[in-house]
Amino acid sequence: MSAASSDPSGMATAADGKELKQERAVRTRETILHAAAQLFADKGYPSVTILDVAQLAGMTKGAVYFHYANKEALALAVTSEFYRRLPAIAESVEELGLSPIASVAELLMRTALALRDNTMMQAGARLQIESALIGIDLPVPFQDYTGLVRTWLERAVALGELQHSTPPHALARVIVSAFFGTQHISWVLHDRQDIAERVLEVAETVLPSCHDALRTCPSVQGCRKT
Amino acid sequence: MSAASSDPSGMATAADGKELKQERAVRTRETILHAAAQLFADKGYPSVTILDVAQLAGMTKGAVYFHYANKEALALAVTSEFYRRLPAIAESVEELGLSPIASVAELLMRTALALRDNTMMQAGARLQIESALIGIDLPVPFQDYTGLVRTWLERAVALGELQHSTPPHALARVIVSAFFGTQHISWVLHDRQDIAERVLEVAETVLPSCHDALRTCPSVQGCRKT
C-alpha cells in the first residue's frame, strides 16, 4: 500500500517516500476540491453534505475530513480558487497587448466563457450568491475585478481611446454590474448557453464608441463567428 | 372570544360573524406573510423554519400550517406578492405621464427605493436568488420587467427620443442586467445604502443622451438632492 512497496526497483529512500506521500496528498486535496466544486455548482451550498463530496470523490468521509475541517472550509477553498483564477484571466488578457478598451471587452468575454465552461468558476459564482448562507466570511466580491476594469478604463482615457460622460471609476462599476447581472440572468434563464452573446451585447452597449477595439478581441471574434 | 360576543349591540347575525371570521383569516394570512418575508429577507430561505415564522407572527405552528401547507407555499406567496408589486410600480410611473426614457429611469429608481425600503421586495429579490434551493417552481424572473422596459424604449425610438446603436430589445436586456447587478452588489457590499446613487449612475451611463429626460423624473431629482 505504501509508495515504497509499490516501487519496482525496491530502491526508494525514506525521502522519496515522503515526497510521494506529499504528492498523493496534493492530488487527494485536488480531487476533493473538484468534487466539492461540482456539487456546489450543481446543488448549491446548503444542499451539499460532506458525504456527497466523499462519494463523488470516491473516498471515505474520514478522508475528506482529514484534508478539510468542515463544509465551510471546502467553500472557502473553492472560493479562494475562484478568486485566484479571475486575476489569472486578466493576466492572460494583458499578455495579448490589446488596447485598454479591447482588454476590458476581452476580460469580460473570457470570464463569461470560463463561467460557461468551467465547474470551479461556476461553483465560485454560486457560492458568492449564496455567501450569506455560509457560516464564514468569504473574500469580498466584485471590488478587485472592478478595480482591474477601472485601471484599464483610466488608461483608455489617458490614451484618448475613451470619451465617455461617465468617469472611469463609475463606468467600471456599471460595467461590472451589467456583466454580473447578465451572467446571472443567462444562468437562471438559459443555463449560460447564451452568455457569450449577452456579454458581447453589454460590451457593445456600455462602450458604444469602441466597435473598432472590439474587432481586435479574439474572444469577441470567436463569438461573432459562431 | 367570538366576534358575536364582542359585539356591544348583541345584534350580530350569523352572516356578520362569518364576515368577521373571514376578515380575521385575511389579517392572519397577512401577518404570516409579512413575518415570512421578514425572515426570508434577513436569513435566507434555507435557514428559515415554520417555527421561526410562527414565533415572529405571534402564533402557533398549527396556525401557520392552517393557512400555508409548508415553507414552499410561503416562498411562493411572498414571491407572488413581489411579482404583483413590480407591475404596480410600473403603473404608478405610467400615471406620471413622463416621456418614455424618463419613465424607464423612474421605474428603475422606484424599484431601487422599494428594494431599499420594503421588506416584501427584499424578500422577493432574495428568494429569486435562492430559487434553485426552493423545491418548487417560482414565476420566471426578469422577463416581464424586461418586456416593460423594452416597450418604453420602443416608444422612445418611435417618438425620436432615443437614438442608440443597440436596438430596444437588446438595450432592455442590458438595462435590466445592469439594474439587477447593481442592486445585488449594493446589497452585498453596502446593505443597499448606496442603491439610489448606483442605479442613477446606471441610468445616466446606459442612456447617455437622456440627461434632459432624467431631469423630469421625481425619484432622480429626489436622489440628486440628498
Side-chain angles (χ1 to χ4, degrees):
Chain A
M1 288 289 284
S2 78
S5 68
S6 67
D7 174 31
S9 72
M11 297 284 282
T13 64
D16 286 341
K18 199 179 164 199
E19 217 164 88
L20 284 166
K21 247 190 189 167
Q22 279 171 348
E23 270 173 36
R24 260 210 312 270
V26 168
R27 273 203 305 276
T28 305
R29 281 180 72 87
E30 271 177 18
T31 304
I32 297 169
L33 197 68
H34 281 90
Q38 179 85 59
L39 289 160
F40 290 149
D42 288 350
K43 300 171 63 174
Y45 180 81
S47 308
V48 175
T49 66
I50 292 287
L51 181 61
D52 294 333
V53 176
Q55 283 175 341
L56 187 60
M59 54 188 80
T60 64
K61 272 171 73 175
V64 174
Y65 279 121
F66 181 78
H67 292 279
Y68 295 96
N70 47 39
K71 197 167 71 157
E72 285 81 358
L74 274 169
L76 182 60
V78 169
T79 309
S80 301
E81 179 60 25
F82 174 78
Y83 284 110
R84 205 188 58 71
R85 291 188 184 200
L86 287 178
I89 294 175
E91 273 166 43
S92 76
V93 172
E94 195 77 75
E95 283 165 12
L96 297 174
L98 301 169
S99 77
I101 289 297
S103 298
V104 170
E106 185 69 17
L107 174 71
L108 300 182
M109 289 299 287
R110 287 189 181 208
T111 312
L113 297 175
L115 285 166
R116 188 190 63 190
D117 301 332
N118 186 282
T119 309
M120 191 65 70
M121 293 291 292
Q122 291 160 6
R126 185 154 183 180
L127 288 173
Q128 188 284 306
I129 283 247
E130 294 171 353
S131 63
L133 301 168
I134 304 172
I136 47 162
D137 285 338
L138 299 180
V140 176
F142 304 115
Q143 290 182 338
D144 290 352
Y145 198 82
T146 308
L148 254 167
V149 171
R150 177 185 176 158
T151 304
W152 269 321
L153 294 177
E154 283 168 346
R155 266 190 243 164
V157 169
L159 293 170
E161 196 195 4
L162 178 68
Q163 289 94 30
H164 205 296
S165 55
T166 305
H169 68 280
L171 187 55
R173 277 197 295 255
V174 172
I175 288 172
V176 173
S177 297
F179 173 81
F180 171 77
T182 296
Q183 65 80 32
H184 178 79
I185 294 173
S186 170
W187 174 48
V188 171
L189 297 185
H190 305 290
D191 200 19
R192 294 198 180 93
Q193 290 314 299
D194 65 343
I195 194 170
E197 292 156 71
R198 290 289 86 76
V199 167
L200 180 55
E201 195 171 87
V202 164
E204 288 174 333
T205 302
V206 184
L207 302 168
S209 61
C210 305
H211 284 226
D212 288 345
L214 294 185
R215 267 194 282 276
T216 66
C217 300
S219 298
V220 170
Q221 292 315 309
C223 168
R224 282 183 174 147
K225 264 178 222 140
T226 55
Chain B
M1 286 291 283
S2 78
S5 69
S6 67
D7 173 30
S9 72
M11 297 285 282
T13 64
D16 285 341
K18 197 178 166 201
E19 216 164 89
L20 284 166
K21 247 188 188 168
Q22 279 171 348
E23 270 173 36
R24 260 209 313 271
V26 168
R27 274 202 305 276
T28 304
R29 281 181 72 87
E30 272 177 17
T31 303
I32 297 168
L33 196 68
H34 281 90
Q38 179 84 61
L39 289 160
F40 290 149
D42 288 351
K43 300 171 64 174
Y45 180 81
S47 308
V48 175
T49 66
I50 292 286
L51 180 61
D52 294 333
V53 176
Q55 283 175 340
L56 187 60
M59 54 188 80
T60 63
K61 273 171 73 175
V64 174
Y65 279 121
F66 181 79
H67 292 280
Y68 295 96
N70 47 39
K71 197 167 73 157
E72 286 82 358
L74 274 169
L76 182 60
V78 169
T79 309
S80 301
E81 179 60 25
F82 175 78
Y83 283 111
R84 206 187 56 71
R85 290 187 184 200
L86 286 178
I89 294 174
E91 273 166 43
S92 78
V93 172
E94 195 77 77
E95 283 165 12
L96 296 173
L98 300 169
S99 78
I101 289 298
S103 297
V104 171
E106 185 69 16
L107 174 71
L108 299 183
M109 290 299 286
R110 288 190 181 207
T111 311
L113 298 175
L115 284 166
R116 188 189 65 191
D117 300 332
N118 185 282
T119 308
M120 191 65 70
M121 293 291 291
Q122 291 161 5
R126 185 155 183 180
L127 289 173
Q128 189 283 306
I129 283 248
E130 295 171 352
S131 63
L133 301 167
I134 304 172
I136 46 161
D137 286 338
L138 298 180
V140 176
F142 304 115
Q143 290 183 338
D144 290 353
Y145 198 81
T146 309
L148 253 167
V149 171
R150 175 185 178 158
T151 304
W152 269 321
L153 293 176
E154 283 168 346
R155 266 190 244 164
V157 169
L159 293 170
E161 196 195 4
L162 178 68
Q163 287 94 31
H164 205 296
S165 55
T166 305
H169 68 279
L171 188 55
R173 278 196 295 255
V174 173
I175 288 172
V176 172
S177 296
F179 174 81
F180 171 77
T182 297
Q183 65 79 33
H184 178 80
I185 294 173
S186 170
W187 173 48
V188 171
L189 297 185
H190 305 291
D191 199 21
R192 295 199 179 90
Q193 290 313 299
D194 65 343
I195 194 171
E197 291 156 71
R198 291 289 87 76
V199 167
L200 180 55
E201 197 171 85
V202 164
E204 288 172 334
T205 302
V206 185
L207 301 168
S209 61
C210 306
H211 284 226
D212 288 344
L214 294 184
R215 266 196 283 276
T216 66
C217 300
S219 297
V220 171
Q221 292 315 309
C223 168
R224 281 184 174 146
K225 265 177 219 139
T226 55

